Short mmCIF file of all heavy atoms in Angstrom, two decimals:
data_model
loop_
_atom_site.label_atom_id
_atom_site.label_comp_id
_atom_site.label_asym_id
_atom_site.label_seq_id
_atom_site.Cartn_x
_atom_site.Cartn_y
_atom_site.Cartn_z
N PRO A 558 11.69 -2.95 27.59
CA PRO A 558 13.00 -3.35 26.97
C PRO A 558 13.97 -3.88 28.01
O PRO A 558 13.84 -3.66 29.15
CB PRO A 558 13.39 -1.95 26.28
CG PRO A 558 12.84 -1.00 27.12
CD PRO A 558 11.55 -1.46 27.75
N THR A 559 15.05 -4.36 27.48
CA THR A 559 16.25 -4.71 28.28
C THR A 559 17.11 -3.46 28.50
O THR A 559 17.37 -2.82 27.48
CB THR A 559 17.10 -5.79 27.73
OG1 THR A 559 16.12 -6.77 27.26
CG2 THR A 559 18.04 -6.44 28.60
N ALA A 560 17.58 -3.13 29.68
CA ALA A 560 18.45 -2.11 29.73
C ALA A 560 19.77 -2.31 28.91
O ALA A 560 20.03 -3.40 28.67
CB ALA A 560 18.91 -1.87 31.31
N PRO A 561 20.35 -1.15 28.39
CA PRO A 561 20.14 0.25 28.73
C PRO A 561 19.04 0.98 27.85
O PRO A 561 18.85 2.07 27.87
CB PRO A 561 21.48 0.86 28.31
CG PRO A 561 21.94 -0.03 27.18
CD PRO A 561 21.39 -1.36 27.37
N MET A 562 18.23 0.13 27.06
CA MET A 562 17.24 0.74 26.34
C MET A 562 16.12 1.25 27.20
O MET A 562 15.59 0.54 27.96
CB MET A 562 16.63 -0.24 25.20
CG MET A 562 15.65 0.33 24.42
SD MET A 562 15.32 -0.57 22.96
CE MET A 562 13.55 -0.20 22.68
N PRO A 563 15.75 2.58 27.06
CA PRO A 563 14.66 3.11 27.88
C PRO A 563 13.29 2.52 27.32
O PRO A 563 13.12 2.21 26.11
CB PRO A 563 14.73 4.60 27.64
CG PRO A 563 15.40 4.78 26.32
CD PRO A 563 16.31 3.62 26.15
N SER A 564 12.22 2.61 28.17
CA SER A 564 10.89 2.24 27.76
C SER A 564 10.17 3.35 26.98
O SER A 564 10.47 4.54 27.41
CB SER A 564 10.06 1.81 29.05
OG SER A 564 8.70 1.64 28.62
N PHE A 565 9.47 3.07 25.99
CA PHE A 565 8.71 4.07 25.16
C PHE A 565 7.36 3.93 25.43
O PHE A 565 6.54 4.43 24.56
CB PHE A 565 9.19 3.93 23.79
CG PHE A 565 10.63 4.45 23.51
CD1 PHE A 565 11.64 3.45 23.51
CD2 PHE A 565 10.84 5.77 23.28
CE1 PHE A 565 12.94 3.87 23.36
CE2 PHE A 565 12.23 6.14 23.05
CZ PHE A 565 13.23 5.18 23.10
N LYS A 566 6.88 3.43 26.52
CA LYS A 566 5.47 3.14 26.77
C LYS A 566 4.65 4.40 27.05
O LYS A 566 3.47 4.51 26.88
CB LYS A 566 5.23 2.20 28.01
CG LYS A 566 5.76 2.73 29.33
CD LYS A 566 5.26 1.80 30.53
CE LYS A 566 5.68 2.43 31.82
NZ LYS A 566 6.50 1.41 32.52
N ASN A 567 5.43 5.59 27.23
CA ASN A 567 4.73 6.86 27.56
C ASN A 567 4.68 7.75 26.26
O ASN A 567 4.27 8.82 26.40
CB ASN A 567 5.45 7.60 28.67
CG ASN A 567 5.35 6.86 29.90
OD1 ASN A 567 4.26 6.23 30.18
ND2 ASN A 567 6.29 6.95 30.84
N LEU A 568 5.09 7.14 25.06
CA LEU A 568 4.97 7.86 23.84
C LEU A 568 3.45 8.04 23.63
O LEU A 568 2.65 7.16 24.09
CB LEU A 568 5.51 7.23 22.71
CG LEU A 568 7.10 7.25 22.50
CD1 LEU A 568 7.30 6.49 21.26
CD2 LEU A 568 7.42 8.71 22.35
N PRO A 569 3.00 9.06 22.85
CA PRO A 569 1.65 9.20 22.48
C PRO A 569 1.21 7.93 21.62
O PRO A 569 2.05 7.49 20.88
CB PRO A 569 1.58 10.42 21.59
CG PRO A 569 2.76 11.19 22.04
CD PRO A 569 3.76 10.27 22.53
N PRO A 570 0.04 7.27 21.88
CA PRO A 570 -0.23 6.01 21.20
C PRO A 570 -0.02 5.96 19.70
O PRO A 570 0.38 5.06 19.21
CB PRO A 570 -1.76 5.89 21.66
CG PRO A 570 -1.98 6.74 22.78
CD PRO A 570 -0.94 7.89 22.78
N GLN A 571 -0.40 7.25 19.09
CA GLN A 571 -0.25 7.28 17.68
C GLN A 571 1.11 7.04 17.22
O GLN A 571 1.36 6.25 16.27
CB GLN A 571 -0.72 8.57 17.18
CG GLN A 571 -1.70 8.63 16.06
CD GLN A 571 -2.10 10.03 15.62
OE1 GLN A 571 -2.00 10.95 16.50
NE2 GLN A 571 -2.60 10.11 14.46
N GLN A 572 1.99 7.63 17.89
CA GLN A 572 3.45 7.62 17.60
C GLN A 572 4.07 6.30 17.88
O GLN A 572 4.74 5.67 17.14
CB GLN A 572 4.20 8.59 18.46
CG GLN A 572 5.05 9.51 17.75
CD GLN A 572 5.69 10.72 18.63
OE1 GLN A 572 4.98 11.12 19.54
NE2 GLN A 572 6.86 11.12 18.28
N PHE A 573 3.61 5.69 19.08
CA PHE A 573 3.98 4.24 19.48
C PHE A 573 3.59 3.36 18.33
O PHE A 573 4.46 2.54 17.85
CB PHE A 573 3.32 3.98 20.73
CG PHE A 573 3.78 2.66 21.27
CD1 PHE A 573 4.91 2.59 22.17
CD2 PHE A 573 3.20 1.54 20.84
CE1 PHE A 573 5.29 1.37 22.67
CE2 PHE A 573 3.58 0.28 21.40
CZ PHE A 573 4.60 0.12 22.31
#
Side-chain angles (χ1 to χ4, degrees):
T559 314
M562 178 163 155
S564 172
F565 290 91
K566 65 172 178 240
N567 293 328
L568 280 182
Q571 226 179 343
Q572 231 171 331
F573 183 93

